[in-house]
Amino acid sequence: METAVIHEGYRASEMLGSLTTPIFQTSTFTFETAEQGERRFAGEENGLIYSRLGNPTVSALEERIAALEGGEKGLAFSSGMAAISAVLIALTKANDHILCSKGLYGCTYGLLMMLKDKYNITSDFSSMQTKEEIRSLIRAETACIYVETPINPTMELVDLQMIADVAKEYGIPVIVDNTFSSPYLQRPLELGCDVVVHSATKYIGGHGDVIAGLVVGKAEFLNDVAMTTQKDIGGVLSPFDAWLLLRGIKTLPIRMDRHCDNAEQIVEKLKMHPHVKYVYYPGEGSHPSNAICQKQMERAGGMIAFEVYGTKKDVQQLLNDLTFIKIAVSLGDAETLIEHPATMTHAVIPEASRIEMGITDQLIRLSVGLEAWEDIWNDLEQALNKVGQIDDVIATK
Ligand code: LCS
């Protein structure tokens, strides 16, 4: 993996020996003759046509992510949501059904609600803890299973191998949002799943400077996506953004190791703080998903969720009291970022469903960055120590 993140998908000999992938900042490609243009459009001759249909900088990234996830083909999109919508729209038709993990990123949930309103494509949300539970929710109209693991933001996991085994009984594909893990920590295709999607905005890019999405899977399915929902809806990645990702991804393994090291230290400290009610980190022995984590993840990653004692106002004050930790959505960057899912990333989800997913007003999500963990903890600790009213809550609990 350490070598693949640097070399896969790039052939310097085809790029005049340039060490880094050149940015092909062009919208279109010229044909030598009209007949050549005709042959390319007819698919009789390989070659470039127009950057929405293919661009060498973008292709290098697509080949690299395919190699890292162990898939036949990769496709790049202008955002994680463009990638997810291209996959789900390609796999479904009106009146179909999608079986989902209990929690999903807010905009993925929003997309599913839009598909229901427009095309009566319904969804069920399940904790997917047993094969029986999954089987009981699969219907004749079930077009696919769509899961996040770890789930944003509650850090619960689902067992990918078990889900893939059940899906095979019914011949339906399993799509996995691998954003929180990256291929360095988890490779769903190796566990029998069919499609991996990423918000490459996060760990893949790693520097908070690009919005992007990636999909990896079988060539037959991705060729279909490329010629339909990618080409005709058109959410493709720009060459410059592909270049930023090609640069960022080279350090994915060393960044992920550092994110994990830091997160493990912060979890230990949070667990001992009297104002913290519960810490959600699947690498923890006491976490309900710890067994699955050990089975399918190399390490538990850089994301932590924790609940504090107090009100929504207390939580907001805690965030305001931080000094260098930034209040921001997104995740996977060098900077430690903190956010309040109930009022930010997952605010779109109706309150009852949100609570059902475990997203209370007291839940805080932390994307542990690459700073010295002692500095991250010092900032968190001084803010936690200040939370108003909390001592009263502790005294009466
Ligand atoms: N999947 C997951 C698990 C995500 O966390 C996000 C974005 C997406 C897909 C969508 O990717 P995008 O289109 O933004 O590249 N998650 C965000 C979050 O938790 N905070 O801000 C964005």
Side-chain angles (χ1 to χ4, degrees):
M1 173 84 53
E2 285 77 0
T3 309
V5 290
I6 296 169
H7 294 286
E8 281 289 343
Y10 182 55
R11 289 172 289 275
S13 60
E14 293 172 17
M15 307 286 180
L16 304 176
S18 169
L19 177 65
T20 62
T21 313
I23 305 173
F24 282 83
Q25 194 66 38
T26 184
S27 54
T28 197
F29 297 86
T30 57
F31 306 128
E32 282 169 14
T33 61
E35 289 77 9
Q36 184 182 51
E38 182 182 12
R39 287 196 300 278
R40 291 209 180 156
F41 269 88
E44 292 162 9
E45 177 185 300
N46 284 336
L48 296 156
I49 296 176
Y50 182 66
S51 278
R52 178 157 45 75
L53 313 178
N55 174 286
T57 316
V58 178
S59 301
L61 173 69
E62 291 172 336
E63 284 181 36
R64 189 166 300 171
I65 191 66
L68 300 180
E69 289 286 1
E72 290 175 8
K73 189 178 166 79
L75 285 179
F77 291 82
S78 55
S79 71
M81 288 317 304
I84 293 165
S85 53
V87 168
L88 286 180
I89 294 169
L91 283 171
T92 52
K93 59 181 186 332
N95 305 316
D96 272 352
H97 170 251
I98 304 174
L99 179 57
C100 303
S101 51
K102 183 174 139 199
L104 290 176
Y105 169 58
C107 293
T108 308
Y109 183 88
L111 169 69
L112 292 169
M113 295 306 114
M114 186 173 76
L115 292 176
K116 169 148 186 354
D117 288 347
K118 283 185 174 290
Y119 308 116
N120 193 35
I121 298 170
T122 55
S123 317
D124 271 314
F125 298 89
S126 158
S127 60
M128 301 196 178
Q129 291 307 301
T130 63
K131 286 188 171 182
E132 289 65 39
E133 187 185 339
I134 302 169
R135 287 192 190 109
S136 73
L137 290 165
I138 294 179
R139 315 202 294 247
E141 314 79 64
T142 305
C144 60
I145 297 180
Y146 183 93
V147 299
E148 268 175 31
T149 183
I151 294 172
N152 184 359
T154 53
M155 302 305 294
E156 280 166 75
L157 309 187
V158 292
D159 184 333
L160 291 177
Q161 196 157 16
M162 180 186 78
I163 294 168
D165 286 348
V166 177
K168 279 195 179 66
E169 293 170 16
Y170 297 85
I172 51 178
V174 179
I175 304 134
V176 182
D177 185 329
N178 206 23
T179 299
F180 269 40
S181 304
S182 87
Y184 185 63
L185 299 180
Q186 174 173 273
R187 287 172 297 283
L189 302 182
E190 289 176 3
L191 300 170
C193 300
D194 301 278
V195 181
V196 166
V197 295
H198 277 285
S199 169
T201 313
K202 314 292 163 32
Y203 290 107
I204 303 269
H207 294 75
D209 49 16
V210 60
I211 298 279
L214 293 167
V215 179
V216 182
K218 289 241 157 52
E220 190 186 351
F221 173 61
L222 288 208
N223 286 335
D224 179 50
V225 170
M227 292 310 290
T228 58
T229 49
Q230 188 186 44
K231 174 171 78 69
D232 296 337
I233 298 178
V236 292
L237 191 65
S238 82
F240 180 63
D241 287 348
W243 184 85
L244 285 172
L245 292 177
L246 282 164
R247 184 168 72 156
I249 206 170
K250 289 182 186 179
T251 53
L252 179 72
I254 53 177
R255 283 189 284 108
M256 291 313 291
D257 277 336
R258 179 63 174 262
H259 283 298
C260 292
D261 290 345
N262 281 358
E264 286 167 12
Q265 297 287 351
I266 299 297
V267 165
E268 285 309 310
K269 292 291 186 186
L270 281 171
K271 267 171 31 187
M272 288 185 300
H273 197 284
H275 296 176
V276 175
K277 195 168 159 191
Y278 196 82
V279 183
Y280 298 88
Y281 188 67
E284 261 297 291
S286 61
H287 190 280
S289 298
N290 184 249
I292 303 178
C293 180
Q294 292 192 22
K295 205 171 112 182
Q296 73 188 19
M297 296 179 77
E298 304 284 348
R299 294 179 75 182
M303 297 299 296
I304 302 172
F306 61 99
E307 273 184 311
V308 293
Y309 293 102
T311 62
K312 175 174 131 187
K313 218 166 163 298
D314 293 321
V315 169
Q316 290 177 325
Q317 189 57 46
L318 190 162
L319 267 55
N320 293 340
D321 284 335
L322 292 162
T323 60
F324 78 86
I325 294 177
K326 302 287 188 295
I327 307 170
V329 296
S330 203
L331 56 109
D333 295 334
E335 294 83 358
T336 296
L337 305 179
I338 199 161
E339 68 116 2
H340 185 228
T343 58
M344 297 178 189
T345 45
H346 294 70
V348 50
I349 302 172
E351 191 179 356
S353 307
R354 192 158 42 74
I355 302 291
E356 173 76 10
M357 290 177 179
I359 306 168
T360 62
D361 279 351
Q362 287 71 30
L363 189 78
I364 296 171
R365 191 187 76 180
L366 187 71
S367 169
V368 181
L370 302 176
E371 305 95 337
W373 73 263
E374 294 89 340
D375 291 332
I376 302 171
W377 174 245
N378 285 342
D379 200 8
L380 277 173
E381 188 182 33
Q382 61 80 25
L384 276 165
N385 288 346
K386 279 187 203 157
V387 183
Q389 307 306 317
I390 283 215
D391 289 334
D392 298 341
V393 180
I394 300 276
T396 55
K397 89 175 149 93

